[in-house]
DNA sequence: ACCTGAACACCGTTCAAGT
DNA sequence: ACCTGAACACCGTTCAAGT
């Protein structure tokens, strides 16, 4: 017997709801739920059991997709780096071709991501992922962000706007300034009234650093 | 009956061992044990029960001296800032009177502390202490470090070696660079072979920043 | 192949009871 | 005043059992 279109749709939806987690969706659902939970209550408050509750599954189910709690957090961190790299690429795509302006756009995209998703950003700098080689895809995601920074610095050097010499040192320096600023804001060592003000004040601190690595002419 | 001096000493020591924690020493002992435990196993591995075990006391005893686990960590952090401020003062005492050199000495003392006590440094930047006004003595200890930085920047401006304008912006900028660098090292975004190399490479990154805030002449 | 139910060792916190 | 013993609710992890 044929079902009318509305009923068929309802059936499909019900079947989907019931079996969705049998098709590899649980992994995604757990990462998404964990990210949301962290952004709401902070990283310290995150429990595997709470994440499972949010997704509507018993907590040992998570172990089918993640070796342990650290692996779940690593997935949250990795997703963060992917989103960050995408945001930086978008910002660079919209920027002019003047190296100094491009570095500014890159740094603003970085700070903007961090102040929008402070808890996820904190996970991305968590102390758990130092064990070498445990999370290679996380390390690749980090490297992608670093390469974006290094490429822009290289471009600036090639055009003669930035100091010649070790590209890496300038790229690391840029990362230091960006991350250091974000941390001071996140830990309330600096009080800012809004995300806009956070970026505005960042540029105040960033300009002298740019001056320091620029070629005077 | 009189006891011979060696026996009296033994008795006093035993009595001291047995009753020392009744004189307010338990607080100190807990902070010291917590700092050691963190430096050994990382902040995440720290439990109140383990700290109590190390000190040789049942774990609820800690609650006589700290409202909760966070308060104990706040004490560890506060002690860290005090030690750091002392180290900076010592470094400035031994430095020349040339502003730029003094800023270098200050920054080196900061980085040196952080790479010597990475876990304690991490606690000092823990996310738990943001609740306003909960740990006023911790906030005072942080402010003491900041004031040391600000005073040196002011001195450099007064002598015409650093850009005029908002002292605070330059002081915050310096803090950003120092903290950002320490974090990149601690989180293994930069690999350094030794503490000495860590400071050496820091100076490489620091010099351009100094150039950026220096007055050319 | 994927999830549940039950169990284990451990944790932070509370509180009545001991000295 | 300061510490202990016992209890509570909760956690991460494991594993046999269900579909």
């Amino acid at each position: 017997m044929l079902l009318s279109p509305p009923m068929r749709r309802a059936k499909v939806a019900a079947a989907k709801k019931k079996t969705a987690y049998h098709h590899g969706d649980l992994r995604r659902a757990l990462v998404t739920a964990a990210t949301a939970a962290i952004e709401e209550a902070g990283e310290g408050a995150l429990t595997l059991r709470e994440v499972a509750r949010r997704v509507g599954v018993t907590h040992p189910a998570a172990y089918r997709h993640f070796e342990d709690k650290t692996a779940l957090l690593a997935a949250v961190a990795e997703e963060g780096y992917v989103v960050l790299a995408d945001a930086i690429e978008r910002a660079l795509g919209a920027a002019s071709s003047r190296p100094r302006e491009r570095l500014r756009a890159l740094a603003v995209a970085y700070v903007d991501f961090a102040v929008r998703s402070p808890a996820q950003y904190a996970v991305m700098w968590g102390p758990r992922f130092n064990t070498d080689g445990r999370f290679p895809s996380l390390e690749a995601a980090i490297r992608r962000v670093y390469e974006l920074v290094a490429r822009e610095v290289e471009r600036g050097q090639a055009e003669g706007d930035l100091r010649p010499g070790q590209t890496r040192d300038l790229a690391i320096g840029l990362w230091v300034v960006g991350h250091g600023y974000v941390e001071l804001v996140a830990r309330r060592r600096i009080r800012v009234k809004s995300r806009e003000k956070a970026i505005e004040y960042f540029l105040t601190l960033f300009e002298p650093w740019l001056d320091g690595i620029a070629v005077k002419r």
Side-chain angles (χ1 to χ4, degrees), chain A:
Chain A
M1 186 193 167
L2 283 168
L3 296 166
S4 66
M7 286 193 69
R8 291 185 63 182
R9 251 186 277 123
K11 258 226 156 166
V12 168
K16 214 173 189 174
K17 198 175 183 183
K18 228 183 176 177
T19 61
Y21 300 150
H22 291 264
H23 298 85
D25 275 21
L26 182 52
R27 200 196 138 89
R28 272 238 64 73
L30 288 169
V31 174
T32 305
T35 306
I38 285 166
E39 224 47 84
E40 282 169 32
E43 187 184 350
L46 184 86
T47 71
L48 219 63
R49 292 165 110 111
E50 168 62 18
V51 174
R53 254 175 247 130
R54 281 173 182 248
V55 173
V57 89
T58 61
H59 66 276
Y63 286 85
R64 194 64 40 186
H65 300 275
F66 297 99
E67 206 185 335
D68 54 22
K69 191 185 174 183
T70 299
L72 172 58
L73 283 168
V76 171
E78 182 180 334
E79 169 121 317
Y81 280 105
V82 170
V83 172
L84 172 57
D86 290 346
I88 290 175
E89 280 187 345
R90 238 178 297 120
L92 288 174
S96 80
S97 64
R98 295 177 49 217
R100 211 174 146 134
E101 204 169 302
R102 289 178 69 81
L103 285 183
R104 229 179 264 125
L106 187 158
V108 165
Y110 189 98
V111 172
D112 186 62
F113 170 84
V115 296
R116 271 176 201 279
S117 313
Q120 184 168 21
Y121 186 84
V123 173
M124 289 157 65
W125 287 84
R128 294 170 202 71
F129 314 127
N130 293 341
T131 322
D132 292 314
R134 183 162 177 209
F135 303 109
S137 61
L138 169 58
E139 280 167 31
I142 295 174
R143 212 170 311 122
R144 190 181 148 211
V145 171
Y146 172 76
E147 296 297 346
L148 286 170
V149 178
R151 194 207 294 154
E152 288 308 317
V153 169
E154 207 164 6
R155 184 179 174 140
Q157 290 180 310
E159 303 207 1
D161 285 349
L162 301 185
R163 287 189 179 195
Q166 291 290 328
T167 301
R168 186 170 170 277
D169 293 351
L170 298 188
I172 295 277
L174 208 162
W175 203 3
V176 162
V177 173
H179 174 62
Y181 177 74
V182 164
E183 278 263 312
L184 260 71
V185 171
R187 303 309 194 217
R188 312 261 169 101
R189 300 293 195 267
I190 316 172
R191 310 292 176 121
V192 289
K193 292 202 171 70
S194 66
R195 282 207 308 267
E196 292 75 25
K197 293 274 177 194
I199 289 169
E200 194 183 309
Y201 188 50
F202 168 74
L203 288 171
T204 306
L205 303 179
F206 191 53
E207 219 53 42
W209 186 82
L210 278 175
D211 289 344
I213 63 161
V215 170
K216 283 87 190 167
R217 45 181 180 180

